[in-house]
Amino acid sequence: MKRRTFLQLSGMTAAGTVLSGCQSGNEKLIPYLVPPDEGVTPGKADYYASSCRFCPAGCGILVRVSEGRAKKIEGNPAHPVNRGKLCAMGQAVLQELYHPDRVPQPLKRSGPRGSGAFTRISWEESLELLAGQLRALQREKATDRLALVTPQLNGTLVELTTRFMRVFGSPHHLSFDLLGPDWLRTATRRSFGQPGLPWYDVAETRYLLSFGADFVEHHLSPVQYGYAFGRMRQGRDTVRGHFTYVGGRMSLTGASADRWMPARPGSEGALALGMARLILAESLSDAGSLAVNGLQTEKLLRRLEAYDLPRVAEQTGLPQRIIAEVAREFATTRPALAMAGETVAFQSNGPDAVRAVQMLNLLVGNLNRPGGVYPDGGSRVGPENSFTELLSLVAAMRDGRFRVAMIHGDPVHAIPPATGFQEALARVPFIVSFSSLMDDTALQADLILPDHAALESWGDVIPLAGTRDRVIGLMQPVVTPLFDTRQFPDVLMAMADKLGGKTAAFPYQSYQEMLKGTMEKRVGRAARRDFETVWVELLRQGGLFETRQGQEKGYRRAPGSSLPNPAEPRFAGDEKRFPLHLLVYPSIAFYDGRGAPLPWLQQLPDPMTTVVWDSWVEINPRTAAEMGIGFGDLVEVTSPQGAMRLPAVIYPGIRPDMVAIPLGQGHRGMGRYARGRGSNPLVLLALITDGTETRPAWHATRVRLTRISEKGELVTAGHPQGSYRSELIEI
Amino acid sequence: MKISWLIAGLIFAAGVVVAGLALMYYLPLDMRDRSPLQPLAFSHKVHAGDNGIHCLFCHRYAPESPVAGIPAVADCRACHLFISPDAPEIKKLMLYWEKREPIPWVRVYSLPDHVYFPHMMHIRARLSCTVCHDEVAAMERVARSAELKMGWCLNCHRQHKASIDCWTCHK
Ligand code: SF4
């Protein structure tokens, strides 16, 4: 710049500043145009109790509302699951309400599928459109050509959807969650004869042994377990509970442990049985518990012969000394507790590995004891193998057996493409989405009937495995809906109404009424007389919380249940061409991807790597050095199923033969904050099934890495170099 | 020669200053933050003084909320549909209503975010509005009379034996 130009410019800027300074610096005081209704006092906040349903844990929340706007969410101190605490996702639910890219009213597709061209239509028109499609099915006696896809629901929603599908005459309701605890239900039923989920008394235990259960981040009920973990460590005067973590990647949970055992992926079940054998051989087991459960030490030992220490050490890649030490600590500290998590379960031998871990609990006699495992107080039943249902639905869709698909949630993003879901869905002629944001599924839809945001909704939430008590959390609208949206259950009811003749199936006028009716049935007889008052009280406190300890039938080995015998793990991709194991883990901010549209969660640095806004692949420093990969380089990850490019994070907290990618990014839609950010690692996952059982083995895919360039464009909040120097891993 | 240049320069500079001042005087620039120009020439003297309308008639949230609140445009209009509807300032008011725009009043009293000042507690303590706001009923245009510094608050709290714990105001 020339000196003269500079002087001219600075003169102009100075003049501008002087002029803009000639105004009083006071803020504006903007009045209402029309005063608000009764009940709104400007400047004064109201607090409403409701429930979080962002993840299945179902924590209780209190929402601060002033001038009719929701301002802040905190945990509900009276709620037995989270006791006033809340996770980042729960806090961010506020941003779902105010998201600038919400679908404001029903939309009809106006361009080719997937192009994102939609026109706004009225609710009458849109409902008539869907009713027309469904009526056509009824007329042709082809009602089973309707499919309903939802996440795993609970409470009145199950009742409603089941009834709707039954009355309409279609058996095809798929309730699938990528992270649904089906595996835990099956394992628990096979071990103990009960399909309910276990509740771990972490707070009271003295030795916690977690096999890949990341309970601080996402496993079952993270807020509850995080709180309990804090009490286990610091809540008692004389004891500080010990915690050992087993798993190939050090998660945030693993990082909180006293000891980390990076066992080879797929060998965790063998490790558990190896420990069991050692405990039995050294007579450290609980004789009483064995007797009650009808087991004999000698017989067990004979069955576990194969799991001798040298062999287990070789399988797991861990030193014999360490395995023996942990086994002895576990058996001699009472109470001690073993948990199994997703990292173990989603292997080809997952179900048996989980049962092997459950057997450890039995051996040290901590079933139904303080500091041990109890059946949880939540719903007794739930899907046990929704993955098989998913596969059969996909097969049917591929054959063109469906004419209409109604979809709640975002399965197009959250189901691994290896199942063929996305392609099969494209063959359904009419797709209805209930998403309130333009997500990947909504982009493929022909009709979008936007749901309310959570803070505008009614609902009941039965917490998943968060407490032993019977808890039914209630959701109530804390603000009047911002847009012309309707709740999914209300739309179903309206649809039933329109289809006519079957309205008797829905004796309620609205979902709110149904909820109230169901709650009336659930409270005791005495309370029912004056239910209006009870109802208001339930809403005020946030749900129905009952304490009833010890009445539940405890755990006992199911008669005739066989001993777990985890097979050799199998992997997709041969070892030569794909030398590394892939671990795809739910991030603390995005869960299975549903957190991605919320900017607060996008800005949350990952607790272990401090990466913000992006996806990345974690590589052990040794592996990276061998391949010449540096921090932040762009690498290509190739699996037998697909390939993707990601920046590399050199991470000492992972086995050298393993790489890990967080889940949740890589949306095509989902609003401006999620769109096109990062990548979705689900495209890498291969489908491993064997002839007899169909179980998802998402962690059994192998990959290889190729360095592409040094421009990975990684954004981190911390200084990465520190991690190069640490020597955390010694295998 | 040199002197004359200097004198000319000085005269020129003085002219510039005078012109600048004149400009500032005539242009509608408002540099007063204690008594700013308002979009409407609302007179507290007419309302609260001459007509004796009570403060809480318009600032109606003061007894129950931290903020006193200002009347909605609809409230102003409700009265002035009948009261001097032809005055030029009232016409301006009606124009705001017709355009469905709230009136951008300029705030006279404001406290930083780290200070919590609840109107309702002060009213419940039977303090008169004039203690902080002075004789508003005599003001054509509202002017801030108090400095709003911490010492000023503390003095009053001490005088009235109110709490001077930090948490009372800073929370
Ligand atoms: S753990 Fe789940 S239910 Fe609880 S606050 Fe977090 S997202 Fe909500």
Side-chain angles (χ1 to χ4, degrees):
Chain A
M1 190 188 286
K2 280 208 204 102
R3 183 166 163 273
R4 183 185 297 241
T5 337
F6 173 76
L7 286 177
Q8 277 170 348
L9 277 179
S10 49
M12 266 149 66
T13 326
T17 330
V18 168
L19 278 179
S20 67
C22 295
Q23 252 170 35
S24 89
N26 298 8
E27 323 161 21
K28 292 282 187 285
L29 198 56
I30 308 290
Y32 282 107
L33 202 57
V34 179
D37 301 342
E38 288 289 315
V40 176
T41 312
K44 213 170 149 200
D46 295 311
Y47 292 82
Y48 292 98
S50 190
S51 297
C52 176
R53 62 159 179 209
F54 210 70
C55 87
C59 300
I61 58 175
L62 288 183
V63 190
R64 178 175 188 265
V65 179
S66 59
E67 284 103 47
R69 295 274 178 270
K71 298 275 174 80
K72 183 80 176 83
I73 305 181
E74 283 299 340
N76 179 357
H79 200 281
V81 171
N82 58 326
R83 296 176 200 283
K85 316 285 180 271
L86 206 64
C87 82
M89 296 191 285
Q91 298 262 357
V93 165
L94 208 53
Q95 295 197 313
E96 182 205 10
L97 177 66
Y98 299 118
H99 200 292
D101 296 329
R102 273 182 67 182
V103 182
Q105 72 182 82
L107 298 179
K108 197 173 88 177
R109 181 165 64 85
S110 58
R113 252 205 196 159
S115 65
F118 288 92
T119 41
R120 298 184 176 202
I121 55 173
S122 70
W123 272 102
E124 288 68 46
E125 201 186 331
S126 60
L127 289 180
E128 202 38 59
L129 202 65
L130 177 57
Q133 293 278 344
L134 296 182
R135 265 192 222 113
L137 293 187
Q138 276 179 333
R139 241 189 344 264
E140 293 161 34
K141 304 244 175 313
T143 52
D144 64 339
R145 302 183 71 174
L146 164 74
L148 176 66
V149 181
T150 64
Q152 296 189 350
L153 307 169
N154 60 30
T156 44
L157 271 185
V158 182
E159 211 177 299
L160 189 72
T161 47
T162 320
R163 199 185 274 182
F164 180 86
M165 291 306 272
R166 201 185 52 231
V167 169
F168 185 77
S170 167
H172 303 293
H173 174 196
L174 171 72
S175 53
F176 177 79
D177 264 327
L178 183 70
L179 304 169
D182 299 27
W183 52 275
L184 193 52
R185 286 187 196 279
T186 322
T188 314
R189 182 176 49 73
R190 287 212 287 187
S191 296
F192 305 122
Q194 295 189 23
L197 294 167
W199 180 80
Y200 305 102
D201 190 2
V202 170
E204 287 302 315
T205 203
R206 297 179 130 200
Y207 196 97
L208 181 59
L209 182 56
S210 165
F211 287 81
D214 294 335
F215 57 84
V216 176
E217 291 118 300
H218 55 84
H219 181 62
L220 294 179
S221 193
V223 177
Q224 193 262 131
Y225 283 127
Y227 181 59
F229 182 61
R231 292 210 306 168
M232 163 187 143
R233 297 287 226 186
Q234 291 161 354
R236 291 166 291 191
D237 291 341
T238 48
V239 205
R240 179 181 189 271
H242 188 96
F243 175 31
T244 297
Y245 182 82
V246 180
R249 171 184 180 266
M250 186 165 73
S251 58
L252 182 61
T253 311
S256 319
D258 298 299
R259 192 202 290 270
W260 174 38
M261 300 176 78
R264 191 167 285 147
S267 71
E268 294 91 346
L271 177 64
L273 290 180
M275 288 186 186
R277 185 174 179 278
L278 191 109
I279 291 170
L280 287 165
E282 299 189 358
S283 309
L284 298 173
S285 55
D286 185 301
S289 170
L290 286 186
V292 168
N293 288 293
L295 290 170
Q296 278 121 24
T297 311
E298 299 75 47
K299 264 200 200 159
L300 272 178
L301 267 179
R302 228 172 300 134
R303 299 285 302 279
L304 292 178
E305 226 154 49
Y307 296 95
D308 59 296
L309 204 50
R311 195 177 149 235
V312 169
E314 201 206 299
Q315 272 181 326
T316 56
L318 298 169
Q320 290 188 31
R321 178 179 59 84
I322 305 276
I323 300 177
E325 204 176 300
V326 170
R328 285 188 197 117
E329 281 171 7
F330 179 72
T332 52
T333 321
R334 301 285 163 85
L337 178 61
M339 308 168 84
E342 285 81 357
T343 321
V344 178
F346 291 144
Q347 291 287 353
S348 64
N349 58 8
D352 268 39
V354 173
R355 290 187 57 219
V357 176
Q358 288 178 331
M359 205 177 82
L360 279 180
N361 281 327
L362 192 153
L363 283 192
V364 297
N366 76 351
L367 301 181
N368 325 308
R369 296 250 177 91
V373 195
Y374 296 92
D376 90 315
S379 53
R380 308 269 111 217
V381 286
E384 274 194 43
N385 201 349
S386 52
F387 184 66
T388 324
E389 288 165 33
L390 169 70
L391 290 185
S392 59
L393 185 91
V394 167
M397 270 185 189
R398 203 180 288 127
D399 295 346
R401 291 241 304 279
F402 289 113
R403 288 252 300 269
V404 182
M406 303 202 292
I407 305 181
H408 197 275
D410 190 8
V412 171
H413 181 265
I415 292 182
T419 56
F421 178 82
Q422 286 79 349
E423 280 161 55
L425 185 68
R427 308 204 49 182
V428 179
F430 194 72
I431 302 174
V432 187
S433 163
F434 297 94
S435 305
S436 62
L437 273 174
M438 220 17 160
D439 57 23
D440 296 15
T441 309
L443 278 177
Q444 301 299 322
D446 301 282
L447 181 66
I448 305 177
L449 305 173
D451 200 346
H452 282 343
L455 293 178
E456 302 164 337
S457 305
W458 286 100
D460 54 347
V461 176
I462 298 176
L464 184 94
T467 153
R468 283 175 68 198
D469 309 328
R470 190 168 73 129
V471 171
I472 299 164
L474 281 176
M475 294 170 72
Q476 59 175 326
V478 301
V479 293
T480 27
L482 299 187
F483 297 105
D484 188 15
T485 53
R486 278 194 205 179
Q487 258 201 282
F488 166 63
D490 274 327
V491 174
L492 278 193
M493 284 181 156
M495 206 33 63
D497 219 24
K498 270 194 181 291
L499 294 176
K502 302 274 174 56
T503 31
F506 291 105
Y508 305 102
Q509 284 302 312
S510 67
Y511 177 58
Q512 180 190 353
E513 217 174 273
M514 171 174 183
L515 189 69
K516 203 165 152 188
T518 322
M519 285 312 280
E520 188 167 356
K521 272 182 234 142
R522 282 178 187 154
V523 297
R525 188 179 295 274
R528 229 173 284 165
R529 243 173 286 134
D530 185 17
F531 184 67
E532 222 22 73
T533 332
V534 177
W535 171 243
V536 172
E537 183 55 24
L538 287 179
L539 288 179
R540 197 192 60 75
Q541 68 177 22
L544 183 67
F545 313 142
E546 278 176 44
T547 15
R548 30 149 220 191
Q549 300 275 331
Q551 68 304 51
E552 209 47 59
K553 221 172 72 190
Y555 281 140
R556 203 153 196 237
R557 189 176 81 100
S561 76
S562 62
L563 270 188
N565 188 14
E568 276 285 307
R570 292 176 308 115
F571 297 97
D574 70 282
E575 211 173 329
K576 288 252 165 49
R577 287 183 52 219
F578 302 99
L580 300 164
H581 293 284
L582 172 69
L583 176 75
V584 166
Y585 64 94
S587 85
I588 196 164
F590 305 139
Y591 197 62
D592 59 358
R594 57 185 81 169
L598 311 182
W600 279 349
L601 298 177
Q602 285 284 358
Q603 292 201 29
L604 190 69
D606 178 75
M608 299 310 293
T609 60
T610 78
V611 179
V612 221
W613 299 325
D614 209 342
S615 297
W616 64 93
V617 53
E618 288 160 20
I619 310 170
N620 184 281
R622 194 179 303 171
T623 318
E626 272 166 26
M627 309 182 67
I629 298 173
F631 195 97
D633 286 2
L634 188 68
V635 294
E636 186 162 80
V637 186
T638 316
S639 81
Q641 181 71 28
M644 69 194 325
R645 292 184 174 189
L646 296 162
V649 166
I650 312 298
Y651 185 58
I654 191 165
R655 286 177 58 90
D657 60 353
M658 197 174 185
V659 294
I661 306 175
L663 202 62
Q665 296 272 40
H667 293 264
R668 245 165 292 154
M670 211 69 162
R672 61 187 75 176
Y673 308 111
R675 189 187 307 130
R677 183 154 279 164
S679 354
N680 186 358
L682 291 181
V683 301
L684 295 175
L685 299 185
L687 199 59
I688 299 195
T689 50
D690 52 23
T692 50
E693 270 197 304
T694 324
R695 302 256 163 219
W698 304 131
H699 296 156
T701 305
R702 285 172 164 284
V703 293
R704 70 162 173 267
L705 299 182
T706 327
R707 183 177 181 276
I708 301 295
S709 75
E710 59 187 27
K711 291 208 183 70
E713 285 167 10
L714 190 72
V715 184
T716 57
H719 198 280
Q721 302 301 330
S723 56
Y724 277 106
R725 272 175 246 125
S726 92
E727 274 296 332
L728 274 170
I729 198 162
E730 27 169 317
I731 43 171
Chain B
M1 185 67 185
K2 263 192 185 162
I3 297 283
S4 62
W5 271 107
L6 191 64
I7 290 171
L10 276 178
I11 290 173
F12 179 71
V16 166
V17 169
V18 169
L21 286 177
L23 209 65
M24 278 168 128
Y25 186 77
Y26 282 110
L27 284 181
L29 299 174
D30 186 11
M31 290 177 292
R32 289 153 289 208
D33 57 351
R34 287 198 159 211
S35 174
L37 277 182
Q38 299 289 357
L40 293 187
F42 175 87
S43 162
H44 271 89
K45 182 171 173 293
V46 172
H47 288 83
D50 304 350
N51 292 312
I53 303 173
H54 195 276
C55 307
L56 296 185
F57 184 79
C58 291
H59 303 288
R60 68 174 65 144
Y61 298 109
E64 44 183 316
S65 161
V67 301
I70 51 171
V73 182
D75 295 339
C76 303
R77 174 180 175 267
C79 286
H80 282 288
L81 273 179
F82 309 103
I83 302 171
S84 44
D86 298 325
E89 292 299 307
I90 305 304
K91 288 219 170 104
K92 266 205 236 168
L93 164 74
M94 294 305 174
L95 215 60
Y96 275 108
W97 173 260
E98 272 152 33
K99 283 192 290 182
R100 299 270 139 195
E101 271 175 19
I103 306 162
W105 299 109
V106 184
R107 200 181 248 284
V108 178
Y109 283 82
S110 72
L111 286 167
D113 279 351
H114 57 265
V115 184
Y116 174 70
F117 175 86
H119 272 91
M120 73 277 199
M121 291 193 186
H122 292 84
I123 291 208
R124 251 178 252 155
R126 296 183 191 285
L127 279 186
S128 156
C129 303
T130 53
V131 173
C132 303
H133 295 289
D134 216 355
E135 283 301 334
V136 172
M139 294 179 195
E140 272 298 340
R141 192 166 83 209
V142 163
R144 191 169 81 215
S145 55
E147 196 55 60
L148 301 187
K149 294 261 165 68
M150 185 165 137
W152 177 77
C153 297
L154 274 175
N155 266 344
C156 195
H157 269 226
R158 285 210 184 92
Q159 260 171 34
H160 289 88
K161 305 233 168 352
S163 163
I164 53 165
D165 194 286
C166 307
W167 277 98
T168 312
C169 306
H170 299 293
K171 53 184 166 190

